[in-house]
Amino acid sequence: MSSETEPYTWIEQALKTIHQADWHRSVKTIQGRPGAVVYLEGKPVINFASNDYLGLAGDERLIQAAIAAVQEYGTGSTGSRLLSGHRELHRELERAIAQLKQTEDALVFSSGYLANLGTINALVGKRDLILADQYNHASLKNGAILSRATILEYPHGDMEKVKQMLEEQRTHYRRCLILTDSIFSMDGDLCPLPQLQDLAEAFGCMLLVDEAHATGVLGTSGAGCVEQMGCTGRPLIQMGTLSKAVGSLGGYVAGSADLIDFLRNRASSWIYTTGLSPADTAAAMAAIQIIQQEPQRRTQLWQNVHWLKQALIDELGLVHGTTPPSLLPSASPILCIQVSNPTTVLQLGRSLLEQGIFASAVRPPTVPTSRLRITVMATHKFAHLEQFITALRSNLQNLLP
Ligand SMILES: *Cc1c(COP(=O)(O)O)cnc(C)c1O
């Protein structure tokens, strides 16, 4: 039958191709509350696959805050913030974020993804230039594409190249926006933020840093990479999510009062969508308080990260390098073990699962090379970390090319 009479048959064909390349993905059902141990299809597994770095998504205080907000404000915000959907809770959360980030103001979006789409689109257009790290998160990449600005990707973390691109290209464009993750989500390494800020200032560019994985995790008060690298107070657009260490749902942008006021007027993904639900808003607010008041959670998280990383190196003999299995450079709770191909990483993921370890097998096209991506939590017990090392050890032979 021709494609004109059967307009949907191509989908079946496309799915077949996805399966053949071992690229097919499907969902796994988690039961009960999130935590260091979760129930996956009925079986308890140690969780190395969530972004709940501080273990707050299952914290009783967030749960109670959400319940109280639902009792008081109901379940839905019922409209756009500019129409009927704005509540005092939203503003309180925005003030709390601005206070954590040491910025004049902040704006919360329905997700981090939407924060990036809306912000990038509001800031640049056809006459402008975007410089972007090649490993940036999909939401930065898609936001850049939607904006219709000219996009130049630079090799991961290559500041020489950024400088060269700016020298050659900057004057041909009206505005320029540099986009980068702070902690790279699928690798775990950090961007050279101070150098990027220097270049942005020297060439008259805006700089947007995505702190999705760093908020609550990096910096003395949990304000992120910006705080850790001593960049607080310099001109910068910070965005992040409320869905990772903050344990709720939503995204934010923090920066100058003018920037935030401008976004309220120009960011479509904020204007034309319903305000964050009362439950999500209240849970996020409770989390931001805990992030500031309980630095011991971060201390525990980093102790776990350092122990696990050292064990991967000392006990399993993994090294940084190009021959798999190898350890990708990381300065965060995201640790990645690179393996030779998608089939191997899928087998590894399955085998670990049989041994009670839940970790993500990440493959192209999400990333250039297949890897086991594990995320460490503050609430992992020492025994959980040991069990991971034991399970991985028993699989190492199978990972040699
Ligand atoms: C998760 C993530 C986002 C998107 O945040 P959501 O709130 O989940 O939509 C954006 N950027 C990076 C780097 C992320 O890891």
Side-chain angles (χ1 to χ4, degrees):
M1 228 174 279
S2 81
S3 59
E4 281 141 62
T5 53
E6 282 293 344
Y8 299 105
T9 47
W10 68 270
I11 296 174
E12 190 188 336
Q13 208 48 51
L15 270 173
K16 257 188 212 146
T17 310
I18 292 171
H19 275 289
Q20 275 160 8
D22 243 344
W23 280 13
H24 187 261
R25 307 122 178 267
S26 56
V27 296
K28 297 187 194 72
T29 309
I30 306 270
Q31 285 114 0
R33 285 190 189 176
V37 175
V38 289
Y39 284 81
L40 185 64
E41 264 123 38
K43 187 183 143 196
V45 289
I46 305 170
N47 189 5
F48 287 97
S50 97
N51 298 316
D52 183 19
Y53 299 108
L54 300 176
L56 291 179
D59 190 285
E60 196 58 38
R61 292 166 289 180
L62 272 70
I63 293 169
Q64 290 310 321
I67 291 171
V70 170
Q71 297 283 10
E72 187 168 354
Y73 301 106
T75 48
S77 289
T78 78
S80 160
R81 293 272 299 280
L82 286 177
L83 296 173
S84 60
H86 178 69
R87 305 302 196 95
E88 186 49 31
L89 264 186
H90 293 126
R91 204 52 202 140
E92 284 168 24
L93 174 59
E94 288 168 345
R95 285 201 201 96
I97 293 168
Q99 196 257 329
L100 173 70
K101 290 281 176 179
Q102 299 284 297
T103 55
E104 287 176 3
D105 207 351
L107 187 66
V108 295
F109 290 73
S110 301
S111 77
Y113 198 108
L114 287 171
N116 273 335
L117 291 198
T119 304
I120 297 166
N121 271 288
L123 295 174
V124 287
K126 260 199 282 197
R127 295 160 60 196
D128 305 318
L129 174 67
I130 286 176
L131 288 192
D133 191 290
Q134 66 173 145
Y135 286 3
N136 276 349
H137 189 260
S139 56
L140 290 172
K141 291 191 183 218
N142 291 334
I145 293 167
L146 270 179
S147 77
R148 295 152 85 201
T150 301
I151 304 162
L152 297 177
E153 283 202 335
Y154 55 87
H156 182 49
D158 188 342
M159 292 302 101
E160 277 308 308
K161 191 71 188 172
V162 173
K163 182 159 182 265
Q164 187 197 332
M165 284 171 160
L166 285 169
E167 281 165 354
E168 286 167 9
Q169 303 289 335
R170 177 66 190 93
T171 53
H172 303 158
Y173 296 89
R174 181 182 60 169
R175 298 197 275 262
C176 175
L177 174 63
I178 303 174
L179 299 176
T180 186
D181 284 20
S182 67
I183 293 178
F184 285 88
S185 57
M186 290 295 147
D187 295 75
D189 57 343
L190 308 186
C191 75
L193 189 59
Q195 289 89 319
L196 277 169
Q197 281 186 312
D198 291 345
L199 286 168
E201 277 170 29
F203 289 89
C205 306
M206 299 177 282
L207 172 60
L208 186 158
V209 63
D210 180 334
E211 294 261 58
H213 291 274
T215 303
V217 168
L218 291 181
T220 318
S221 68
C225 185
V226 175
E227 182 186 21
Q228 170 145 319
M229 294 193 175
C231 301
T232 309
R234 292 180 73 179
L236 184 64
I237 300 161
Q238 302 182 50
M239 72 71 59
T241 176
L242 304 172
S243 336
K244 287 169 181 156
V246 181
S248 180
L249 180 69
Y252 67 82
V253 173
S256 73
D258 279 349
L259 169 76
I260 298 308
D261 200 26
F262 176 76
L263 291 178
R264 271 193 292 263
N265 286 277
R266 281 286 184 276
S268 312
S269 68
W270 186 80
I271 298 169
Y272 299 104
T273 197
T274 302
L276 212 57
S277 83
D280 292 323
T281 311
M285 209 148 58
I288 299 234
Q289 237 177 32
I290 295 170
I291 282 170
Q292 290 172 292
Q293 288 169 359
E294 297 180 6
Q296 63 271 26
R297 285 180 175 268
R298 255 181 312 287
T299 310
Q300 188 60 56
L301 171 64
W302 282 102
Q303 271 177 15
N304 290 351
V305 170
H306 291 137
W307 188 89
L308 198 62
K309 205 164 154 186
Q310 217 48 49
L312 288 170
I313 296 168
D314 295 343
E315 294 186 36
L316 302 189
L318 292 175
V319 289
H320 299 308
T322 45
T323 327
S326 61
L327 205 54
L328 293 181
S330 162
S332 73
I334 301 167
L335 301 175
C336 291
I337 297 149
Q338 191 171 27
V339 304
S340 45
N341 58 62
T343 315
T344 309
V345 82
L346 284 179
Q347 279 167 355
L348 175 61
R350 269 187 227 115
S351 169
L352 287 174
L353 204 52
E354 281 165 18
Q355 292 167 272
I357 303 288
F358 181 31
S360 305
V362 192
R363 296 161 278 163
T366 306
V367 287
T369 56
S370 297
R371 66 202 62 179
L372 186 79
R373 175 185 185 269
I374 64 163
T375 47
V376 182
M377 297 173 67
T379 46
H380 279 139
K381 301 280 181 251
F382 183 60
H384 296 148
L385 307 179
E386 274 188 317
Q387 212 168 318
F388 173 78
I389 294 294
T390 306
L392 188 62
R393 182 185 283 118
S394 70
N395 282 282
L396 270 190
Q397 272 308 316
N398 308 330
L399 300 183
L400 298 173

